[in-house]
Amino acid sequence: MNIHLVSAVVALSVVSTQIAAQTFPPQHWAGESGLLSLGENGQVDLSAADPMDILRIEEAFIRWGLYYDEGRSDLLPSLFTESGEMVATLGSAEPIATFTGPEEIGGYVDATLEQQGDQRRHSITNFLVQEISESEASAMAYGIVMVAADGLSVGSSVVYTGDLTKGDDGVWKFERLTIAIDDYAGNLN
């Protein structure tokens, strides 16, 4: 296993222990920290956008959750560009871990799943395109992560933000996917 992956998993465990004693996170933290940008209803001009592109962008977010839940790190490369990043934050805009490239992201998921020991189900909600052109887009969604271990419970709530690029094949991939965790019940791993 890559030493950077091990370090990141250990860092996530340490941060979760340190944060457990705090009231966390503060209200409106994602917007106030600049991680999430909301405008007035109708502000984003979607008239020139292909409706299928919007659906394919939403599909990328949904597939992230499905691939994670089913342990399909072999499919993760299809979600990211070669230089794509996955950034994790916990209750602030400051990254606690950053992974670059499909293989490193897949390795992070594999390492996390090895330690996890429960079944998770991501529910992607409140999807919103914030900007879109023919080949680039920014979008966001909320996520609720259900955990089945000793019964079913809400494990976390998440704000996902993504910058995506449309390839020549028409597939939208993440240049950057930020997983901003509000807080996590129990162990972060």
Side-chain angles (χ1 to χ4, degrees), residues 50-171:
D50 180 343
M52 290 306 296
D53 282 338
I54 294 171
L55 289 173
R56 287 184 184 112
I57 293 166
E58 183 179 24
E59 180 181 15
F61 283 85
I62 292 168
R63 285 187 181 279
W64 164 262
L66 291 171
Y67 293 167
Y68 184 97
D69 294 342
E70 293 302 318
R72 296 302 306 269
S73 60
D74 61 312
L75 296 175
L76 284 172
S78 68
L79 296 175
F80 292 89
T81 64
E82 282 303 310
S83 60
E85 287 185 327
M86 189 214 77
V87 177
T89 76
L90 187 58
S92 85
E94 294 300 314
I96 59 171
T98 301
F99 304 95
T100 304
E103 280 114 35
E104 190 171 298
I105 295 166
Y108 156 74
V109 170
D110 285 340
T112 301
L113 291 172
E114 284 177 21
Q115 296 181 10
Q116 194 170 281
D118 57 29
Q119 177 62 62
R120 302 201 180 164
R121 296 287 182 222
H122 288 71
S123 178
I124 308 298
T125 69
N126 297 20
F127 172 77
L128 188 64
V129 171
Q130 295 172 298
E131 292 180 40
I132 189 166
S133 70
E134 271 188 43
S135 61
E136 295 180 345
S138 294
M140 59 83 51
Y142 284 164
I144 304 298
V145 182
M146 300 300 294
V147 177
D150 295 328
L152 187 63
S153 63
V154 175
S156 68
S157 58
V158 180
V159 176
Y160 294 100
T161 59
D163 295 320
L164 301 96
T165 301
K166 183 179 180 179
D168 293 336
D169 57 0
V171 176

